[in-house]
Amino acid sequence: MIPLEQYGEFETAWCPGCGNHAILKAVKKALSTLDLPPHKVLFASGIGQAAKAPHYLRCNAFNGLHGRSLPPAQGAALANTELTVFAESGDGCSYGEGGNHFLAALRRNVTMTYLVHDNQIYGLTKGQASPTTAQGQKTKFQPDGAPSMPFNPLAVAVSMNAPFVARAFAGEIDHLADIIAQAARHPGFALVDILQPCVSFNKVNTYAWYRERCYKLGADHNPTDWEAAMRKAQEFGDRIPIGVIYKGDRAPFETRINPAVLRPLATSRPDLARLGGLLQGYA
Amino acid sequence: MSDTCVSIVIGGEAGQGLVTVGDFLAKALVRAGYEIVVTQDYMSRIRGGHNTYAIRVSHEAIHGPRESIDLLVALNAETVALHRAQLTSRALVLADEAIDRLGHPGLSIPFKALCPKPMFENVAALGVLTQLLCLERSWLEALIRDEFAKKGDEVVRQNLDVFSSAQDWAAGQKAVFSCMAPPVRTAKRLFMNGNEAIAFGALAAGANFCSYYPMTPATSVAATFVSQGTKMGMLIEQAEDEIAAINMALGASYAGARVVVPTSGGGFALMVEGVSLAGMTETPVVVVLAQRPGPATGLPTRTEQGDLNMVLYAGHGDFPRAVFTPGTPEQCFELTYRAMDQAEKWQSPVFVLTDQFLADSYRAVVPFDLEALPPVSGPGLTCEDPAGYKRYALTPSGVSPRLVPGFGEHLVVVDSDEHTEDGHITEDLTVRVQMVDKRMRKFDGLAADVVPPTYSGDEAPSTLLVCWGSAMGAALEAAQGLRAGGKSAAVLHFGQVYPLIPKQFLPILERAGRVVMVEGNQSCQLARLIRQECGYHFKEAVTRYDGLPITARYILDRL
């Protein structure tokens, strides 16, 4: 195990009590458990408070655009399959602005882990409803209640047979760390939706609210049973399951493309003799 | 203008195989030693409509397309009606016997009698054309063998039989066409269009990652990567949209891949925030933008040079860039190769602007000298002091040592937010100014590397035609036309339009008589850029924005 100090300690821009602090701790724990040195890890992120997380961790980081954590993460993961790649962002970035990339990533199934800080609200822009805000929940910007139905990332991921689908809670750091480590070890695209209170802008989904409802999935849930997983993915309200919802063995993207193109692209050089041969085909 | 060339137009509906006839004939002509300029005009549909494949052919050097038609192959009646006004005095119309030639001289071809099945009509047309052009039949026979080989010996034999009987039939007809002059060239050429040459230029420079979303007329760049780049180890992914395409490319580039993103104007509009991200994170990326008429969906399959302004200003905030505008397939190769190097050397987005006309225009392309290619810049893999590595170290040139992650203990941190030297988010306003200045210092490097415009023609001409990109061929031939009429003329062609270095061209503009900007857009985008950058005001311009390529005749009629 790599000592936790290796992953650094930084001052953050997060509110005291924010769930992000706990998620960061769990990420470091998971990396340590996985024995991943910082230079072998890439965190890609979008924009938002959650997306700042890679700045508070010693690792390689690509902090890109709002909604666009997944495309660069997949591009880098394919350019160098020896990197362990994570994308990390909030619910607005991941399921709203980046919704199409989420759907495509589920289809593509590149080996990487997607950590979504899901606080059911926009924090950095100060309290608008997010794609996962409950329908009818009042915000400063939706005073009559959020009009749209919330997005269900787990059900969408399970419906696409994403190989690893989990939900965790920022209030359960060890449980979360374990899930992140499991997700990173699993071949293919792994989604970890992390419930996280926003202490400044979400007065509904508080620590107490989550603690009352979240329960850990036990031995009675078989994550390889797709129908059982779909039922658990739908469960959100009085009781919220946390743990590995679904685990499958869909072949990752990397196994379905020409193996000759999968090598660290940084060290590949063009074979000009081969190119000359190809040009002969145009003569 | 020289009249030693023949203009052949094959017209018909989409799906009738006119591109097959055109490709076969054009490729055989190139193999035989002729020079060609192909112009493809098609509608945005899979079946029906009216499409043409025009081949201008000569034994001498030719540069641009032409409107007039000497041989019109009409695969349907509409083709005769639509193109009869373009027929020259010696023109022949070649059509099925059921099609009314509207009184024009030509041949009514008994396709049904010549072909055992309708699918052979294309090869029959090639037999007739071979006879009329006095082209050595072995060129097409060899091509038929090459192209049908994978379908088996029987298919090859049937096609050769139809080809031969059609040629024999044409030999017995009264309508004759003056033979083309025999070719003089014996050196080999490549039968290649602009987009294929762009793809090869990128591959030669080491491009090994392409993420794209299909869009006419850029798609054939990706298609060439799929058919040829894969054999060079290129990783190609069709992204979910253009936003993903460029962001995926940036992630790959960050991780050390050499990336190219082909698109057209509408797709590029979606990529603009990604361009800004490339500027901020100083991540190399080459965007190939094949222009078509806009705004919005415009004319999806036609040509225009209307996206220069967008490429110049795409992306919010200040950051440097370079814009290349090749005029020929040879330049498509050379300048894309150079774009790949410039993007890496100056860690900036670099653009290659082409258009539908050049994208689809096949020529007899001089083979690329792969051994003479200069080395291409690249990122580092490791450094001596990994703990002290800073991705955005402040330097006099503005270029910070770029390492890729994963090959040493150094950490590579890049951020779309304003950042410190080690790549972390900051709101320190002093650092902000330092970083803007650092990024913009790279502009001086890009400016020092600019490819100067090419000048051809008389010294101090009475007429100087200024152009960029694919308008080059038409401008060169218009200048030839002026000289044939006893006037001095020259052409100044910009193969790179940004940055602009006034001392490279201002003296040329100032010593000419009439200076005329020739460009394929309504608002004279390059003329305005030159005025903005160095105060020179173009008093005359020839513009075209009806979706068709600029021709010499078009320019001369407007001078």
Side-chain angles (χ1 to χ4, degrees):
Chain A
M1 277 208 347
I2 291 173
L4 286 173
E5 305 84 72
Q6 284 271 318
Y7 304 103
E9 195 65 51
F10 300 82
E11 197 181 310
T12 76
W14 295 328
C15 310
C18 173
N20 285 340
H21 298 287
I23 298 172
L24 179 60
K25 264 190 202 146
V27 164
K28 289 180 186 172
K29 254 186 125 157
L31 293 176
S32 164
T33 309
L34 291 163
D35 227 10
L36 280 170
H39 71 277
K40 291 286 186 192
V41 180
L42 167 63
F43 273 82
S45 68
I47 295 296
Q49 287 296 72
K52 289 176 182 166
H55 289 288
Y56 310 137
L57 183 69
R58 282 193 69 244
C59 63
N60 293 297
F62 188 104
N63 184 182
L65 300 170
H66 186 54
R68 320 292 169 212
S69 66
L70 285 174
Q74 293 166 96
L78 293 174
N80 185 357
T81 51
E82 288 163 24
L83 285 173
T84 299
V85 178
F86 293 83
E88 186 171 18
S89 250
D91 42 312
C93 187
S94 305
Y95 304 139
E97 187 87 16
N100 195 25
H101 308 312
F102 177 55
L103 297 181
L106 291 170
R107 293 179 52 218
R108 203 175 272 123
N109 199 22
V110 170
T111 297
M112 61 164 287
T113 304
Y114 199 19
L115 305 178
V116 181
H117 299 214
D118 187 354
N119 60 9
Q120 303 179 255
I121 204 79
Y122 282 90
L124 193 53
T125 52
K126 304 199 188 307
Q128 298 84 0
S130 87
T132 52
T133 301
Q135 194 166 30
Q137 183 170 320
K138 288 183 176 165
T139 77
K140 226 184 233 181
F141 291 81
Q142 283 84 18
D144 300 326
S148 299
M149 187 183 150
F151 182 68
N152 185 334
L154 302 184
V156 170
V158 173
S159 79
M160 291 296 296
N161 289 306
F164 188 96
V165 182
R167 169 162 273 157
F169 170 44
E172 294 280 355
I173 294 182
D174 289 344
H175 182 251
L176 169 59
D178 175 56
I179 286 176
I180 294 172
Q182 285 189 54
R185 281 195 198 102
H186 202 92
F189 182 79
L191 169 69
V192 185
D193 183 80
I194 308 165
L195 299 173
Q196 167 222 10
C198 172
V199 294
S200 297
F201 296 105
N202 190 334
K203 303 300 182 194
V204 178
N205 310 110
T206 61
Y207 277 102
W209 190 92
Y210 285 121
R211 278 198 202 290
E212 234 169 69
R213 289 164 173 81
C214 288
Y215 72 96
K216 288 178 191 154
L217 286 169
D220 57 331
H221 174 64
N222 174 8
T224 64
D225 177 344
W226 187 87
E227 287 179 3
M230 207 49 165
R231 280 193 298 277
K232 288 297 170 193
Q234 306 278 355
E235 201 177 312
F236 195 93
D238 292 343
R239 293 194 23 97
I240 303 171
I242 58 172
V244 180
I245 303 275
Y246 179 69
K247 229 182 338 189
D249 54 4
R250 227 178 96 201
F253 184 87
E254 304 88 278
T255 64
R256 284 176 284 107
I257 59 172
N258 177 1
V261 305
L262 273 188
R263 77 283 186 209
L265 297 180
T267 51
S268 91
R269 294 287 171 272
D271 177 351
L272 291 182
R274 179 119 180 83
L275 193 77
L278 295 175
L279 283 165
Q280 282 307 308
Y282 290 77
Chain B
M1 271 180 279
S2 135
D3 205 14
T4 55
C5 64
V6 177
S7 289
I8 305 153
V9 170
I10 304 135
E13 287 180 22
Q16 280 193 306
L18 62 99
V19 173
T20 308
V21 179
D23 279 347
F24 267 72
L25 181 61
K27 190 166 187 176
L29 288 166
V30 169
R31 283 187 176 182
Y34 289 102
E35 309 304 326
I36 61 163
V37 174
V38 167
T39 308
Q40 297 193 54
D41 183 51
Y42 47 98
M43 297 175 75
S44 182
R45 52 199 286 176
I46 296 167
R47 295 270 162 183
H50 177 69
N51 297 350
T52 59
Y53 188 108
I55 307 166
R56 188 177 165 218
V57 53
S58 174
H59 66 288
E60 297 175 336
I62 49 173
H63 307 286
R66 198 180 250 201
E67 292 87 350
S68 59
I69 300 173
D70 301 308
L71 285 174
L72 178 64
V73 181
L75 300 181
N76 59 6
E78 190 189 12
T79 298
V80 184
L82 282 170
H83 297 284
R84 57 190 304 194
Q86 292 161 262
L87 296 171
T88 57
S89 55
R90 62 169 174 156
L92 295 182
V93 175
L94 316 178
D96 183 79
E97 52 194 354
I99 293 174
D100 183 356
R101 283 190 275 111
L102 304 176
H104 294 284
L107 292 175
S108 291
I109 306 170
F111 279 116
K112 277 207 181 82
L114 291 169
C115 304
K117 284 182 206 160
M119 64 186 283
F120 291 102
E121 286 181 13
N122 294 331
V123 168
L126 287 167
V128 174
L129 283 164
T130 299
Q131 178 62 30
L132 291 174
L133 292 166
C134 311
L135 180 64
E136 191 68 54
R137 68 193 294 163
S138 60
W139 294 112
L140 269 152
E141 285 172 347
L143 201 54
I144 288 168
R145 282 195 197 94
D146 289 356
E147 302 288 326
F148 291 111
K150 55 178 178 283
K151 296 190 179 176
D153 293 345
E154 182 56 18
V155 175
V156 170
R157 190 193 57 76
Q158 286 178 323
N159 277 285
L160 287 173
D161 285 352
V162 171
F163 174 76
S164 176
S165 58
Q167 190 180 8
D168 294 345
W169 173 84
Q173 301 304 306
K174 268 187 280 174
V176 287
F177 191 76
S178 49
C179 285
M180 285 192 299
V184 285
R185 168 170 65 76
T186 53
K188 272 197 172 176
R189 293 288 184 265
L190 307 174
F191 174 70
M192 187 173 268
N193 66 30
N195 273 4
E196 289 167 342
I198 283 173
F200 273 97
L203 290 171
N208 53 21
F209 187 98
C210 169
S211 42
Y212 72 100
Y213 190 86
M215 185 167 184
T216 306
T219 312
S220 55
V221 175
T224 308
F225 285 146
V226 170
S227 68
Q228 309 296 322
T230 314
K231 295 174 190 157
M232 296 288 293
M234 183 182 236
L235 204 160
I236 304 152
E237 174 59 356
Q238 182 178 317
E240 55 272 29
D241 55 35
E242 284 88 350
I243 298 172
I246 192 163
N247 280 282
M248 200 177 276
L250 293 178
S253 178
Y254 160 85
R258 311 293 179 107
V259 305
V260 193
V261 183
T263 188
S264 186
F268 182 67
L270 291 175
M271 295 183 182
V272 167
E273 196 185 11
V275 171
S276 195
L277 180 64
M280 186 55 144
T281 57
E282 306 190 47
T283 306
V285 62
V286 170
V287 177
V288 175
L289 196 167
Q291 300 163 102
R292 65 193 221 187
T297 308
L299 294 168
T301 58
R302 308 307 167 99
T303 201
E304 194 162 287
Q305 297 183 291
D307 296 344
L308 174 58
N309 281 345
M310 177 166 68
V311 159
L312 288 171
Y313 304 112
H316 50 298
D318 285 323
F319 56 92
R321 72 190 73 205
V323 183
F324 291 96
T325 49
T328 62
E330 285 87 348
Q331 286 189 353
C332 285
F333 178 89
E334 288 158 24
L335 295 177
T336 306
Y337 184 91
R338 189 170 176 85
M340 293 295 298
D341 175 59
Q342 291 284 295
E344 181 64 50
K345 186 175 177 187
W346 303 109
Q347 300 179 16
S348 295
V350 173
F351 302 92
V352 177
L353 260 186
T354 181
D355 54 42
Q356 180 268 327
F357 163 61
L358 182 57
D360 295 332
S361 185
Y362 284 96
R363 314 278 173 98
V365 175
V366 179
F368 314 124
D369 187 354
L370 300 179
E371 282 168 19
L373 293 170
V376 179
S377 312
L381 299 174
T382 54
C383 64
E384 281 180 9
D385 173 24
Y389 176 66
K390 290 176 173 172
R391 172 65 188 90
Y392 301 107
L394 296 170
T395 63
S397 69
V399 175
S400 316
R402 186 170 99 89
L403 294 186
V404 296
F407 292 89
E409 292 194 357
H410 61 275
L411 298 178
V412 186
V413 179
V414 306
D415 191 3
S416 94
D417 296 275
E418 192 54 271
H419 42 257
T420 54
E421 285 182 277
D422 57 5
H424 285 294
I425 182 169
T426 186
E427 294 192 37
D428 180 324
L429 305 186
T430 307
V431 172
R432 155 72 182 171
V433 172
Q434 286 172 340
M435 283 294 159
V436 173
D437 290 344
K438 167 196 135 57
R439 288 189 289 269
M440 290 306 281
R441 278 200 293 281
K442 296 189 295 179
F443 184 86
D444 298 336
L446 282 161
D449 278 356
V450 163
V451 178
T454 51
Y455 184 84
S456 51
D458 302 311
E459 282 293 307
S462 60
T463 304
L464 174 66
L465 303 174
V466 182
C467 60
W468 58 280
S470 75
M472 181 167 109
L476 286 172
E477 292 191 358
Q480 281 173 8
L482 290 170
R483 279 197 291 276
K487 294 175 191 153
S488 63
V491 172
L492 184 68
H493 175 261
F494 285 82
Q496 183 173 359
V497 294
Y498 196 78
L500 281 176
I501 312 299
K503 67 172 186 221
Q504 292 179 344
F505 58 88
L506 260 188
I508 297 171
L509 300 180
E510 280 160 359
R511 71 169 181 251
R514 285 175 84 179
V515 179
V516 184
M517 176 59 83
V518 177
E519 52 181 317
N521 60 67
Q522 195 275 341
S523 60
C524 291
Q525 296 183 8
L526 180 62
R528 285 174 183 231
L529 177 67
I530 290 173
R531 189 173 187 183
Q532 174 190 308
E533 295 285 312
C534 56
Y536 182 86
H537 179 50
F538 284 85
K539 292 185 188 67
E540 287 186 81
V542 173
T543 60
R544 185 162 202 178
Y545 45 92
D546 60 0
L548 297 175
I550 297 172
T551 63
R553 182 81 266 145
Y554 185 92
I555 297 169
L556 291 171
D557 285 350
R558 285 159 182 80
L559 285 181

